[in-house]
Amino acid sequence: MPEFKVVVSDPKTGKAKQIEVKGAQAQALVGLKIGDIIDGSLIGLKGVKLKITGGSDRSGFPMLPSIPGGVKKRVLLSRPPGFHPTMPGERRRKTVRGNTITEDIVQINTVIVYEEPKKAQ
């Protein structure tokens, strides 16, 4: 059974909290991709929508939204996520994960998505 640490960021307050998810709740997250919007009740937060923004695997390799699947690859990077250049034009080959959540992922980063209230007509 997979086990994840879900980091939930609140853009209104600027705070984040970490929630451990195990068992059937964690199994429901497997197969989702970066950019997917999930219901917060999956991880114990009622009445909230969460957008998956990234994550990392057990070795610390970050997930990249541009790489399909749950694979681990070495790619040439020139900007974040995965590489922060110190000089202009610097590029390096780094190991990163794909955009799909698998059982190898340990941390999942999410942000609370607030829907604008509908105006009464």
Side-chain angles (χ1 to χ4, degrees):
M1 276 275 146
E3 185 175 321
F4 301 120
K5 292 178 183 171
V6 180
V7 178
V8 180
S9 299
D10 188 352
K12 285 188 177 177
T13 63
K15 294 185 179 183
K17 61 181 172 181
Q18 185 172 323
I19 300 169
E20 291 203 21
V21 179
K22 299 177 183 178
Q25 292 176 325
Q27 191 64 39
L29 295 173
V30 173
L32 295 175
K33 296 183 178 186
I34 294 177
D36 287 351
I37 295 178
I38 60 171
D39 191 24
S41 61
L42 258 173
I43 61 170
L45 299 174
K46 294 181 181 174
V48 173
K49 297 282 186 187
L50 300 172
K51 180 179 179 183
I52 299 173
T53 58
S56 58
D57 69 357
R58 5 184 130 135
S59 303
F61 297 127
M63 294 173 70
L64 276 187
S66 59
I67 298 176
V71 298
K72 191 189 300 186
K73 282 189 173 182
R74 286 186 52 83
V75 294
L76 189 63
L77 298 175
S78 60
R79 58 189 172 88
F83 175 63
H84 297 271
T86 56
M87 300 178 293
E90 182 181 9
R91 301 185 308 167
R92 288 217 181 131
R93 190 162 304 277
K94 292 287 191 176
T95 304
V96 293
R97 278 272 173 191
N99 64 358
T100 306
I101 296 173
T102 62
E103 294 191 8
D104 295 328
I105 300 296
V106 171
Q107 177 179 317
I108 300 170
N109 302 326
T110 62
V111 64
I112 296 176
V113 178
Y114 291 101
E115 295 182 12
E116 295 181 18
K118 295 181 180 179
K119 296 179 183 177
Q121 294 181 355

